[in-house]
Structure formats: C-alpha cells, structure tokens
Amino acid sequence: MNIKKHGKDYGIPQGSSISATLSNVYMIEFDKQMNELVQSNNGLYMRYSDDFIVVLPNDGDDVFWKHHDEIQSLIKSVPRLILEPDKTKIFSYVQGAVVDSKNADRVNTKIEYLGFSFDGRIIRIKDKTLSKYYTKMYRKLKNIVKQRMVSPPLKRSAENLYDKYSIKGAYPKTRKGNSPQKKSGNFITYVNRAKYVFGENEAIDSSTKNHMLKIKRKLGS
C-alpha cells in the first residue's frame, strides 16, 4: 500500500465522503457569480463536482471572446482554482454539427459531459461508459461459459449476471405475498432513467437495446 502524508495546508483527499460537500461550499460564491454572468447573456451554466459547462448564444466572435475573458477573469479570482488545459475545450454549434475550435476539420466531434455525448444532433451515452459496461458483462459471461465446461449448468451464476447486466435486474423483483425487494438497479436502470429524462427521440438506449440477445448468444455458445 502506497500512502503518502498530505503535507500542505490546503486540499482534501479525492473520493472521501466529505470532499464533494466541501468542494461545493468552496465554490458557492463562484457558482453564484458565474451563473449570474452567464444568465445575463441568455446562457446556461452547470457544474457537478470538478466538471462544469457553459453554453452561450452564438453572437459573433467579438462577443464570444468578450464573454470568454470575463469567465477567465472570474476563474482566476478564485484562489487555487485551476483549469486543466487538456480537459478545457471550446465548441461551436454550426448547422447541426459540433465544431472543435482547436480543430475545425475534425470529423465526428462530440461534446461530452457527465457520461453523455452530443454530436449536434443526437444525445448518446459516452462510448467509454458503454465500453466499461460491455467489458464487465462479457468478462462475467466468459467465466460462466468456462465454468460450465467443468460443472453442471450454473443457474445461480446466470441469474447473478442477469441481475447485474440486463433488463431483468433493472427493477425490484416482487414475490408473491411480499413487498418489492429493495434494489438500486443496474446499468440498464440508469439507461432507462436517462431515456425518460432526455425523451424518446434521443438515442440513449441505442447501444443497449440488444443486450439480452448478446447475453443469450454468448451463453448459447
């Protein structure tokens, strides 16, 4: 175990239960001023933990850079608030497409924020998030198929897989005579909730619609 003492008189461990609360307390005044600035220009400001996004109307380059300088000045006014250059991006929305200001010729540019991506037309779940889901699911499937070659059919393992990675585990189960079991759900629960919030016209569940078929095919192999 590699544990190092934090010798500075500022900063808190990332991931601790109090870190999110203290970060919000520290950012209260910044959030207030940023929100007032953006809303006064008919825009939108949102922040979650250390990620924030600003959306402003396209009123021309001169107006944009004026707002940009105002935002930068506000950020610099907060002690030890530093933006990561690699994670700070500026996009334009042009004729139904998202354009990266640093690379206008880039194809398939997307705005990514809090697990979702937007290409100018459709909102989807981030590729990286989907990749994690399918990697874990296929790893579990591979183990079940491997064990089945040595043991009798592993019903319990299959049920566990369906609970964790399929629509079957997305909602609490109800048993006859009993109240629904307490259950937080799984990744498909998250997908369905997102679909409800964003609306039926978005392709939120396009990459998970066939997850049951993929599971059955792998188990059948």
Side-chain angles (χ1 to χ4, degrees):
M1 187 179 291
N2 186 15
I3 300 176
K4 293 182 180 179
K5 183 179 179 180
H6 182 68
K8 298 178 181 178
D9 60 354
Y10 63 89
I12 50 177
Q14 206 170 14
S16 65
S17 56
I18 201 170
S19 62
T21 303
L22 289 180
S23 68
N24 284 335
V25 171
Y26 190 77
M27 296 291 284
I28 283 177
E29 189 58 32
F30 173 83
D31 287 338
K32 180 184 176 183
Q33 292 184 41
M34 179 69 88
N35 194 51
E36 289 175 353
L37 171 62
V38 173
Q39 283 198 350
S40 68
N41 291 286
N42 300 313
L44 171 72
Y45 165 70
M46 296 181 70
R47 182 182 66 81
Y48 180 81
S49 190
D50 60 346
D51 288 329
F52 72 83
I53 186 170
V54 174
V55 183
L56 290 166
N58 188 355
D59 293 325
D61 287 350
D62 291 342
V63 176
F64 168 78
W65 287 112
K66 175 179 173 289
H67 295 332
H68 176 273
D69 292 343
E70 289 172 340
I71 291 170
Q72 287 288 348
S73 177
L74 183 55
I75 291 169
K76 289 176 182 177
S77 70
V78 182
R80 299 191 180 95
L81 181 60
I82 301 170
L83 295 186
E84 288 288 344
D86 294 340
K87 295 181 180 180
T88 304
K89 297 183 179 181
I90 299 173
F91 298 97
S92 298
Y93 180 72
V94 182
Q95 297 178 349
V98 172
V99 179
D100 189 336
S101 65
K102 294 181 180 178
N103 190 354
D105 298 326
R106 187 176 173 186
V107 182
N108 299 326
T109 301
K110 298 174 185 177
I111 296 174
E112 294 186 340
Y113 185 64
L114 299 186
F116 299 93
S117 68
F118 177 60
D119 64 0
R121 297 177 298 106
I122 298 172
I123 300 172
R124 302 178 189 272
I125 291 176
K126 273 175 61 175
D127 293 339
K128 188 176 180 181
T129 305
L130 288 166
S131 177
K132 285 182 180 178
Y133 161 69
Y134 277 114
T135 297
K136 290 180 180 179
M137 186 185 82
Y138 280 123
R139 188 183 297 135
K140 180 78 173 175
L141 278 165
K142 188 177 179 181
N143 288 336
I144 291 175
V145 173
K146 217 183 250 187
Q147 290 174 46
R148 192 168 57 189
M149 294 177 183
V150 193
S151 321
L154 301 171
K155 184 180 178 183
R156 186 174 295 178
S157 293
E159 285 179 350
N160 181 261
L161 178 132
Y162 280 120
D163 276 348
K164 284 187 174 181
Y165 301 104
S166 81
I167 189 69
K168 291 185 178 183
Y171 306 100
K173 294 179 181 177
T174 305
R175 292 176 180 170
K176 195 172 182 181
N178 293 334
S179 59
Q181 296 176 347
K182 288 184 179 180
K183 195 171 187 179
S184 58
N186 57 23
F187 184 73
I188 302 302
T189 308
Y190 165 75
V191 172
N192 289 340
R193 285 174 180 168
K195 180 79 173 177
Y196 174 78
V197 171
F198 282 109
E200 292 297 319
N201 293 329
E202 300 298 344
I204 299 295
D205 60 347
S206 61
S207 298
T208 55
K209 274 185 177 179
N210 296 324
H211 73 276
M212 287 293 291
L213 181 61
K214 292 176 181 178
I215 291 173
K216 289 175 181 177
R217 279 178 178 171
K218 189 68 177 176
L219 289 176
S221 67

